[in-house]
């Protein structure tokens, strides 16, 4: 069982590396490491497929919330090719976390993300 758990944790760690990548080239590299070429990301704010679409969603989130990072809350739970986890968007300046959500990911046989289904659990008023 530990090898299976590691698979999910590695996939989620790569997911967060993509969302938190700051240097100009690193989001694209992190996305191509975490997702399959035709992978997707669907949440209340976006529905995209492919590396380019996912990189654009990551860039939009970073632009909207400068100085914030995504952080795992709790543990990663998975079975078969599916894992779920919760996260917060945390201010590096004051530690506040105005946005939180839960995601369900599907993995391919190599542990790369095929799809993300995201849900927003906490969103600031007016956002």
């Amino acid at each position: 069982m530990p090898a299976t758990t590691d698979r999910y944790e590695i996939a989620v760690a790569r997911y967060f590396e993509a969302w938190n990548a700051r240097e100009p080239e690193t989001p694209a590299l992190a996305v191509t490491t975490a997702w399959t070429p035709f992978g997707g990301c669907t949440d209340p704010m976006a529905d995209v497929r492919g590396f380019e679409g996912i990189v654009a969603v990551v860039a939009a989130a970073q632009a909207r919330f400068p100085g914030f990072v995504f952080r795992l809350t709790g543990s990663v739970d998975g079975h078969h090719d599916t894992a779920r986890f919760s996260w917060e968007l945390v201010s590096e300046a004051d530690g506040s976390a105005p946005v939180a959500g839960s995601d369900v990911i599907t993995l391919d046989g190599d542990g790369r993300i095929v799809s993300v289904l995201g849900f927003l659990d906490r969103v600031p008023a007016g956002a």
Side-chain angles (χ1 to χ4, degrees):
M1 185 127 180
T4 304
T5 301
D6 288 344
R7 176 178 183 236
Y8 305 126
E9 291 172 357
I10 289 167
V12 171
R14 288 180 181 156
Y15 172 89
F16 283 114
E17 286 172 13
W19 284 100
N20 292 327
R22 301 278 176 103
E23 299 301 318
E25 297 81 27
T26 55
L29 178 60
V31 166
T32 60
T33 300
W35 271 266
T36 63
F38 301 104
C41 184
T42 302
D43 66 25
M45 310 295 286
D47 185 12
V48 297
R49 300 282 173 273
F51 294 147
E52 189 174 299
I54 297 165
V55 170
V57 169
V58 168
Q62 290 176 348
R64 186 167 183 186
F65 295 98
F68 283 76
V69 294
F70 287 88
R71 175 180 67 195
L72 179 67
T73 59
S75 59
V76 177
D77 182 29
H79 63 81
H80 296 85
D81 290 329
T82 305
R84 67 178 177 170
F85 56 94
S86 296
W87 51 266
E88 291 180 321
L89 186 59
V90 180
S91 169
E92 293 178 301
D94 65 12
S96 64
V99 181
S102 299
D103 290 353
V104 176
I105 61 173
T106 303
L107 305 176
D108 72 0
D110 295 324
R112 292 173 69 198
I113 299 170
V114 174
S115 68
V116 175
L117 295 175
F119 298 87
L120 297 174
D121 302 326
R122 180 174 62 239
V123 180

